[in-house]
Amino acid sequence: TSQYKQRAREESLRRSPASSATTIFIDGSNMMYDDRKFIGLAALVPVSDALLARGFEVFIMFDSSASRLLGASRSEIQSYFSSGVDVCFAVDGEADIFLLNTAINTCNSVVISNDRYRDYPDRMSRLSDRVLGFAIMRNTLTIPKLNLYVTI
């Protein structure tokens, strides 16, 4: 039965929007936390590098408060990431609406976030299967639907 479960999981991954994704939008402000513990860029930098190495186009979107939380300017934050990663900041407030609208209008894209975006049910009805959660255990971040495991 474990072989059956493995085959069923592989088939599920093949059918998911993640299997055809070419563009990844990461909710940067969301991934700066492990549950409720602030971890800053500890996960974002290695995850974005791993996604770039797999050939994805990677965008990280931050709320306007990210600079204050990280104690760094926007250009300093950008400098932590590889040149292939596009880092964006909300002009005012949260980046959620910008992130969701951009993902909706970008073919073959997925969003990585543990946010369920309950304030945006209309957008989530169009994106729900394209929002991929992540988990952090010990020093590993995993995104199961991308079969991605990254040491942080």
Side-chain angles (χ1 to χ4, degrees), residues 83-101:
S83 60
V85 176
D86 285 305
V87 178
C88 309
F89 296 88
V91 174
D92 188 27
E94 294 184 0
D96 293 353
I97 196 74
F98 177 62
L99 183 146
L100 295 174
N101 285 342

Side-chain angles (χ1 to χ4, degrees), residues 25-104:
F25 294 100
I26 301 175
D27 183 338
S29 295
N30 182 266
M31 199 177 278
M32 289 195 308
Y33 291 88
D34 176 5
D35 195 23
R36 289 186 168 82
K37 180 184 169 201
F38 184 74
I39 61 170
L41 303 177
L44 279 162
V45 171
V47 165
S48 63
D49 285 342
L51 293 168
L52 278 178
R54 286 195 178 183
F56 290 106
E57 188 174 13
V58 179
F59 294 85
I60 300 175
M61 299 182 169
F62 289 103
D63 296 341
S64 60
S65 62
S67 290
R68 180 181 49 79
L69 290 169
L70 292 166
S73 70
R74 291 177 177 193
S75 61
E76 288 172 321
I77 294 168
Q78 171 75 56
S79 74
Y80 287 103
F81 296 96
S82 297
S83 60
V85 176
D86 285 305
V87 178
C88 309
F89 296 88
V91 174
D92 188 27
E94 294 184 0
D96 293 353
I97 196 74
F98 177 62
L99 183 146
L100 295 174
N101 285 342
T102 304
I104 285 170

